[in-house]
Amino acid sequence: GEAHLPEGPDGVAYPGLCRNGPGVREAPHALRLDMRRAVEALGGADAVAQLETYELGAGPKGETGRRPLDADWLVRRCGDVVLSRKDGEAAYHLAVVVDDAAQGITHVTRGEDLFSAAPLHRLLQALLRLRVPVWRHHRLIRDADGRRLAKRDLDVGLAERRAAGETPEGVRDRLGLPPAVFAETRR
């Protein structure tokens, strides 16, 4: 049978097939973060364990509060994540970390499907010496068949929900967010 490959926030972790390949290629290629070197640059596994995420809500398995980073998980499960796509555009993980910092974001609220990406984002913040926010991950809104609703799938957005009469309180209830979620302070 086929060996099970480790999965991280982006699915199956990149196995590093091209890491030591020839230099610059003629064809466009993605730029990846060498996770082992990133961990070393931050001082190794013990130093990375001093970094943490702080979850205000509860992750998919009830995870909450301070969550130290695990260098082994980052190397084995995240692997060498894409920082820049073949088209030269910044990939999601790098883009959101830099964008959040540029906007002075202190509280990041994302869907629970992105809970496993928070340690990667924290690592990128450390490498780039960016301000560290706190996180809250909410349950996803799903349709009648259980499929998550997302703007990338052209599902109905908040403006359409408001026009249809849904209240902000109703949206917060569907996401499982407490009424005062935006008034909470850090730790």
mmCIF file of all heavy atoms in Angstrom, residues 148-183:
data_model
loop_
_atom_site.group_PDB
_atom_site.id
_atom_site.type_symbol
_atom_site.label_atom_id
_atom_site.label_comp_id
_atom_site.label_asym_id
_atom_site.label_seq_id
_atom_site.Cartn_x
_atom_site.Cartn_y
_atom_site.Cartn_z
ATOM 1 N N ARG A 148 -19.167 24.040 3.450
ATOM 2 C CA ARG A 148 -18.887 25.358 4.027
ATOM 3 C C ARG A 148 -19.138 26.439 2.985
ATOM 4 O O ARG A 148 -18.864 26.257 1.789
ATOM 5 C CB ARG A 148 -17.462 25.441 4.556
ATOM 6 C CG ARG A 148 -16.412 25.532 3.478
ATOM 7 C CD ARG A 148 -15.033 25.662 4.120
ATOM 8 N NE ARG A 148 -14.052 25.711 3.090
ATOM 9 C CZ ARG A 148 -13.566 26.840 2.564
ATOM 10 N NH1 ARG A 148 -13.959 27.994 3.019
ATOM 11 N NH2 ARG A 148 -12.676 26.805 1.598
ATOM 12 N N LEU A 149 -19.661 27.554 3.442
ATOM 13 C CA LEU A 149 -19.905 28.682 2.558
ATOM 14 C C LEU A 149 -18.653 29.552 2.530
ATOM 15 O O LEU A 149 -18.052 29.817 3.575
ATOM 16 C CB LEU A 149 -21.099 29.495 3.052
ATOM 17 C CG LEU A 149 -22.420 28.734 3.161
ATOM 18 C CD1 LEU A 149 -23.529 29.655 3.654
ATOM 19 C CD2 LEU A 149 -22.797 28.093 1.843
ATOM 20 N N ALA A 150 -18.241 29.961 1.339
ATOM 21 C CA ALA A 150 -17.012 30.740 1.196
ATOM 22 C C ALA A 150 -17.124 31.681 0.008
ATOM 23 O O ALA A 150 -17.724 31.336 -1.019
ATOM 24 C CB ALA A 150 -15.812 29.808 1.011
ATOM 25 N N LYS A 151 -16.523 32.866 0.143
ATOM 26 C CA LYS A 151 -16.572 33.826 -0.954
ATOM 27 C C LYS A 151 -15.839 33.308 -2.189
ATOM 28 O O LYS A 151 -16.206 33.629 -3.307
ATOM 29 C CB LYS A 151 -16.042 35.187 -0.518
ATOM 30 C CG LYS A 151 -14.582 35.221 -0.153
ATOM 31 C CD LYS A 151 -14.175 36.609 0.304
ATOM 32 C CE LYS A 151 -12.723 36.606 0.742
ATOM 33 N NZ LYS A 151 -12.333 37.897 1.286
ATOM 34 N N ARG A 152 -14.813 32.480 -1.982
ATOM 35 C CA ARG A 152 -14.081 31.960 -3.145
ATOM 36 C C ARG A 152 -14.939 31.026 -3.981
ATOM 37 O O ARG A 152 -14.649 30.770 -5.141
ATOM 38 C CB ARG A 152 -12.776 31.296 -2.729
ATOM 39 C CG ARG A 152 -12.944 30.000 -1.988
ATOM 40 C CD ARG A 152 -11.592 29.372 -1.715
ATOM 41 N NE ARG A 152 -11.702 28.367 -0.683
ATOM 42 C CZ ARG A 152 -10.753 28.064 0.161
ATOM 43 N NH1 ARG A 152 -9.604 28.702 0.109
ATOM 44 N NH2 ARG A 152 -10.920 27.135 1.044
ATOM 45 N N ASP A 153 -16.029 30.508 -3.377
ATOM 46 C CA ASP A 153 -16.986 29.675 -4.108
ATOM 47 C C ASP A 153 -18.195 30.493 -4.561
ATOM 48 O O ASP A 153 -19.207 29.934 -4.961
ATOM 49 C CB ASP A 153 -17.445 28.504 -3.229
ATOM 50 C CG ASP A 153 -16.305 27.577 -2.865
ATOM 51 O OD1 ASP A 153 -15.357 27.444 -3.680
ATOM 52 O OD2 ASP A 153 -16.349 26.989 -1.772
ATOM 53 N N LEU A 154 -18.075 31.818 -4.443
ATOM 54 C CA LEU A 154 -19.115 32.765 -4.829
ATOM 55 C C LEU A 154 -20.403 32.588 -4.033
ATOM 56 O O LEU A 154 -21.501 32.820 -4.533
ATOM 57 C CB LEU A 154 -19.386 32.681 -6.344
ATOM 58 C CG LEU A 154 -18.173 32.909 -7.246
ATOM 59 C CD1 LEU A 154 -18.553 32.750 -8.705
ATOM 60 C CD2 LEU A 154 -17.560 34.278 -6.995
ATOM 61 N N ASP A 155 -20.271 32.181 -2.773
ATOM 62 C CA ASP A 155 -21.433 32.072 -1.901
ATOM 63 C C ASP A 155 -21.874 33.457 -1.448
ATOM 64 O O ASP A 155 -21.145 34.435 -1.591
ATOM 65 C CB ASP A 155 -21.113 31.177 -0.697
ATOM 66 C CG ASP A 155 -20.982 29.716 -1.094
ATOM 67 O OD1 ASP A 155 -21.837 29.238 -1.853
ATOM 68 O OD2 ASP A 155 -20.020 29.060 -0.647
ATOM 69 N N VAL A 156 -23.056 33.532 -0.893
ATOM 70 C CA VAL A 156 -23.635 34.793 -0.442
ATOM 71 C C VAL A 156 -22.766 35.407 0.652
ATOM 72 O O VAL A 156 -22.367 34.733 1.594
ATOM 73 C CB VAL A 156 -25.070 34.543 0.089
ATOM 74 C CG1 VAL A 156 -25.653 35.810 0.681
ATOM 75 C CG2 VAL A 156 -25.947 34.026 -1.031
ATOM 76 N N GLY A 157 -22.468 36.702 0.507
ATOM 77 C CA GLY A 157 -21.642 37.413 1.477
ATOM 78 C C GLY A 157 -22.482 38.131 2.515
ATOM 79 O O GLY A 157 -23.720 38.058 2.524
ATOM 80 N N LEU A 158 -21.814 38.839 3.407
ATOM 81 C CA LEU A 158 -22.496 39.547 4.487
ATOM 82 C C LEU A 158 -23.461 40.610 3.972
ATOM 83 O O LEU A 158 -24.540 40.783 4.529
ATOM 84 C CB LEU A 158 -21.476 40.176 5.434
ATOM 85 C CG LEU A 158 -20.716 39.206 6.337
ATOM 86 C CD1 LEU A 158 -19.667 39.959 7.148
ATOM 87 C CD2 LEU A 158 -21.664 38.468 7.245
ATOM 88 N N ALA A 159 -23.080 41.348 2.934
ATOM 89 C CA ALA A 159 -23.967 42.396 2.409
ATOM 90 C C ALA A 159 -25.297 41.793 1.955
ATOM 91 O O ALA A 159 -26.366 42.339 2.244
ATOM 92 C CB ALA A 159 -23.291 43.144 1.263
ATOM 93 N N GLU A 160 -25.227 40.657 1.267
ATOM 94 C CA GLU A 160 -26.449 39.995 0.811
ATOM 95 C C GLU A 160 -27.257 39.465 1.989
ATOM 96 O O GLU A 160 -28.481 39.517 1.989
ATOM 97 C CB GLU A 160 -26.126 38.856 -0.160
ATOM 98 C CG GLU A 160 -25.565 39.311 -1.492
ATOM 99 C CD GLU A 160 -24.046 39.430 -1.489
ATOM 100 O OE1 GLU A 160 -23.411 39.351 -0.412
ATOM 101 O OE2 GLU A 160 -23.485 39.635 -2.573
ATOM 102 N N ARG A 161 -26.569 38.973 3.021
ATOM 103 C CA ARG A 161 -27.264 38.477 4.218
ATOM 104 C C ARG A 161 -27.976 39.628 4.937
ATOM 105 O O ARG A 161 -29.096 39.484 5.394
ATOM 106 C CB ARG A 161 -26.286 37.783 5.157
ATOM 107 C CG ARG A 161 -25.791 36.466 4.611
ATOM 108 C CD ARG A 161 -24.952 35.720 5.639
ATOM 109 N NE ARG A 161 -24.538 34.461 5.088
ATOM 110 C CZ ARG A 161 -25.325 33.402 4.910
ATOM 111 N NH1 ARG A 161 -26.576 33.447 5.277
ATOM 112 N NH2 ARG A 161 -24.863 32.295 4.380
ATOM 113 N N ARG A 162 -27.291 40.779 5.029
ATOM 114 C CA ARG A 162 -27.923 41.952 5.660
ATOM 115 C C ARG A 162 -29.130 42.405 4.849
ATOM 116 O O ARG A 162 -30.170 42.732 5.408
ATOM 117 C CB ARG A 162 -26.921 43.099 5.779
ATOM 118 C CG ARG A 162 -25.791 42.907 6.774
ATOM 119 C CD ARG A 162 -26.234 42.861 8.220
ATOM 120 N NE ARG A 162 -26.938 44.018 8.703
ATOM 121 C CZ ARG A 162 -26.378 45.080 9.260
ATOM 122 N NH1 ARG A 162 -25.073 45.133 9.412
ATOM 123 N NH2 ARG A 162 -27.106 46.086 9.675
ATOM 124 N N ALA A 163 -28.975 42.433 3.517
ATOM 125 C CA ALA A 163 -30.096 42.845 2.660
ATOM 126 C C ALA A 163 -31.293 41.895 2.807
ATOM 127 O O ALA A 163 -32.438 42.311 2.667
ATOM 128 C CB ALA A 163 -29.644 42.911 1.197
ATOM 129 N N ALA A 164 -31.005 40.636 3.112
ATOM 130 C CA ALA A 164 -32.071 39.644 3.293
ATOM 131 C C ALA A 164 -32.648 39.680 4.709
ATOM 132 O O ALA A 164 -33.527 38.885 5.041
ATOM 133 C CB ALA A 164 -31.541 38.247 2.977
ATOM 134 N N GLY A 165 -32.122 40.601 5.541
ATOM 135 C CA GLY A 165 -32.681 40.772 6.872
ATOM 136 C C GLY A 165 -31.929 40.109 8.007
ATOM 137 O O GLY A 165 -32.352 40.181 9.159
ATOM 138 N N GLU A 166 -30.793 39.446 7.712
ATOM 139 C CA GLU A 166 -30.028 38.821 8.800
ATOM 140 C C GLU A 166 -29.325 39.913 9.606
ATOM 141 O O GLU A 166 -28.761 40.845 9.046
ATOM 142 C CB GLU A 166 -29.024 37.808 8.263
ATOM 143 C CG GLU A 166 -28.384 37.007 9.369
ATOM 144 C CD GLU A 166 -27.737 35.713 8.894
ATOM 145 O OE1 GLU A 166 -27.738 35.429 7.683
ATOM 146 O OE2 GLU A 166 -27.227 35.010 9.760
ATOM 147 N N THR A 167 -29.362 39.792 10.907
ATOM 148 C CA THR A 167 -28.760 40.790 11.794
ATOM 149 C C THR A 167 -27.330 40.410 12.138
ATOM 150 O O THR A 167 -26.952 39.240 12.035
ATOM 151 C CB THR A 167 -29.556 40.889 13.113
ATOM 152 O OG1 THR A 167 -29.426 39.641 13.815
ATOM 153 C CG2 THR A 167 -31.015 41.223 12.859
ATOM 154 N N PRO A 168 -26.522 41.384 12.584
ATOM 155 C CA PRO A 168 -25.168 41.053 13.047
ATOM 156 C C PRO A 168 -25.205 40.012 14.173
ATOM 157 O O PRO A 168 -24.362 39.118 14.221
ATOM 158 C CB PRO A 168 -24.616 42.390 13.545
ATOM 159 C CG PRO A 168 -25.357 43.419 12.751
ATOM 160 C CD PRO A 168 -26.746 42.841 12.579
ATOM 161 N N GLU A 169 -26.183 40.117 15.061
ATOM 162 C CA GLU A 169 -26.318 39.150 16.150
ATOM 163 C C GLU A 169 -26.573 37.744 15.598
ATOM 164 O O GLU A 169 -26.043 36.760 16.104
ATOM 165 C CB GLU A 169 -27.451 39.553 17.101
ATOM 166 C CG GLU A 169 -27.187 40.835 17.865
ATOM 167 C CD GLU A 169 -27.417 42.110 17.032
ATOM 168 O OE1 GLU A 169 -28.097 42.065 15.971
ATOM 169 O OE2 GLU A 169 -26.882 43.149 17.432
ATOM 170 N N GLY A 170 -27.380 37.661 14.552
ATOM 171 C CA GLY A 170 -27.662 36.365 13.926
ATOM 172 C C GLY A 170 -26.417 35.743 13.314
ATOM 173 O O GLY A 170 -26.195 34.536 13.426
ATOM 174 N N VAL A 171 -25.604 36.574 12.662
ATOM 175 C CA VAL A 171 -24.354 36.072 12.078
ATOM 176 C C VAL A 171 -23.427 35.585 13.190
ATOM 177 O O VAL A 171 -22.853 34.496 13.102
ATOM 178 C CB VAL A 171 -23.656 37.153 11.224
ATOM 179 C CG1 VAL A 171 -22.273 36.700 10.785
ATOM 180 C CG2 VAL A 171 -24.513 37.504 10.012
ATOM 181 N N ARG A 172 -23.270 36.386 14.258
ATOM 182 C CA ARG A 172 -22.410 35.966 15.379
ATOM 183 C C ARG A 172 -22.909 34.650 15.982
ATOM 184 O O ARG A 172 -22.108 33.773 16.305
ATOM 185 C CB ARG A 172 -22.339 37.058 16.447
ATOM 186 C CG ARG A 172 -21.412 38.190 16.070
ATOM 187 C CD ARG A 172 -21.072 39.068 17.255
ATOM 188 N NE ARG A 172 -22.222 39.719 17.848
ATOM 189 C CZ ARG A 172 -22.697 40.909 17.487
ATOM 190 N NH1 ARG A 172 -22.101 41.581 16.520
ATOM 191 N NH2 ARG A 172 -23.746 41.424 18.080
ATOM 192 N N ASP A 173 -24.222 34.511 16.122
ATOM 193 C CA ASP A 173 -24.777 33.259 16.661
ATOM 194 C C ASP A 173 -24.423 32.076 15.768
ATOM 195 O O ASP A 173 -24.042 31.008 16.252
ATOM 196 C CB ASP A 173 -26.296 33.351 16.813
ATOM 197 C CG ASP A 173 -26.719 34.229 17.973
ATOM 198 O OD1 ASP A 173 -25.865 34.565 18.818
ATOM 199 O OD2 ASP A 173 -27.919 34.599 18.012
ATOM 200 N N ARG A 174 -24.560 32.251 14.446
ATOM 201 C CA ARG A 174 -24.252 31.157 13.510
ATOM 202 C C ARG A 174 -22.787 30.763 13.563
ATOM 203 O O ARG A 174 -22.426 29.622 13.320
ATOM 204 C CB ARG A 174 -24.644 31.548 12.089
ATOM 205 C CG ARG A 174 -26.158 31.603 11.912
ATOM 206 C CD ARG A 174 -26.535 32.025 10.544
ATOM 207 N NE ARG A 174 -26.195 30.964 9.592
ATOM 208 C CZ ARG A 174 -26.475 31.045 8.317
ATOM 209 N NH1 ARG A 174 -27.083 32.094 7.831
ATOM 210 N NH2 ARG A 174 -26.142 30.062 7.506
ATOM 211 N N LEU A 175 -21.921 31.731 13.883
ATOM 212 C CA LEU A 175 -20.490 31.462 13.970
ATOM 213 C C LEU A 175 -20.070 30.984 15.356
ATOM 214 O O LEU A 175 -18.931 30.575 15.557
ATOM 215 C CB LEU A 175 -19.688 32.716 13.607
ATOM 216 C CG LEU A 175 -19.819 33.203 12.171
ATOM 217 C CD1 LEU A 175 -19.118 34.530 12.000
ATOM 218 C CD2 LEU A 175 -19.290 32.166 11.205
ATOM 219 N N GLY A 176 -20.972 31.084 16.315
ATOM 220 C CA GLY A 176 -20.641 30.678 17.677
ATOM 221 C C GLY A 176 -19.791 31.696 18.408
ATOM 222 O O GLY A 176 -19.046 31.353 19.323
ATOM 223 N N LEU A 177 -19.895 32.968 18.006
ATOM 224 C CA LEU A 177 -19.116 34.027 18.643
ATOM 225 C C LEU A 177 -19.929 34.668 19.762
ATOM 226 O O LEU A 177 -21.110 34.947 19.588
ATOM 227 C CB LEU A 177 -18.725 35.101 17.622
ATOM 228 C CG LEU A 177 -17.817 34.640 16.489
ATOM 229 C CD1 LEU A 177 -17.648 35.747 15.462
ATOM 230 C CD2 LEU A 177 -16.460 34.204 17.028
ATOM 231 N N PRO A 178 -19.292 34.929 20.904
ATOM 232 C CA PRO A 178 -20.018 35.595 21.989
ATOM 233 C C PRO A 178 -20.347 37.030 21.590
ATOM 234 O O PRO A 178 -19.656 37.622 20.753
ATOM 235 C CB PRO A 178 -19.039 35.553 23.155
ATOM 236 C CG PRO A 178 -17.702 35.357 22.544
ATOM 237 C CD PRO A 178 -17.920 34.613 21.254
ATOM 238 N N PRO A 179 -21.387 37.624 22.199
ATOM 239 C CA PRO A 179 -21.791 38.992 21.831
ATOM 240 C C PRO A 179 -20.675 40.017 21.961
ATOM 241 O O PRO A 179 -20.584 40.933 21.177
ATOM 242 C CB PRO A 179 -22.927 39.302 22.804
ATOM 243 C CG PRO A 179 -23.433 37.977 23.245
ATOM 244 C CD PRO A 179 -22.263 37.037 23.188
ATOM 245 N N ALA A 180 -19.811 39.877 22.947
ATOM 246 C CA ALA A 180 -18.766 40.875 23.185
ATOM 247 C C ALA A 180 -17.430 40.479 22.576
ATOM 248 O O ALA A 180 -16.389 40.928 23.016
ATOM 249 C CB ALA A 180 -18.614 41.102 24.687
ATOM 250 N N VAL A 181 -17.434 39.649 21.518
ATOM 251 C CA VAL A 181 -16.184 39.133 20.959
ATOM 252 C C VAL A 181 -15.227 40.256 20.543
ATOM 253 O O VAL A 181 -14.030 40.129 20.697
ATOM 254 C CB VAL A 181 -16.443 38.180 19.781
ATOM 255 C CG1 VAL A 181 -16.993 38.912 18.592
ATOM 256 C CG2 VAL A 181 -15.161 37.456 19.387
ATOM 257 N N PHE A 182 -15.750 41.348 20.068
ATOM 258 C CA PHE A 182 -14.869 42.394 19.577
ATOM 259 C C PHE A 182 -14.437 43.346 20.678
ATOM 260 O O PHE A 182 -13.598 44.198 20.462
ATOM 261 C CB PHE A 182 -15.546 43.149 18.426
ATOM 262 C CG PHE A 182 -15.887 42.214 17.307
ATOM 263 C CD1 PHE A 182 -17.188 41.827 17.075
ATOM 264 C CD2 PHE A 182 -14.887 41.695 16.504
ATOM 265 C CE1 PHE A 182 -17.492 40.956 16.052
ATOM 266 C CE2 PHE A 182 -15.187 40.814 15.476
ATOM 267 C CZ PHE A 182 -16.497 40.445 15.260
ATOM 268 N N ALA A 183 -14.999 43.208 21.874
ATOM 269 C CA ALA A 183 -14.631 44.067 22.988
ATOM 270 C C ALA A 183 -13.584 43.432 23.886
ATOM 271 O O ALA A 183 -13.077 44.067 24.791
ATOM 272 C CB ALA A 183 -15.873 44.415 23.817
#
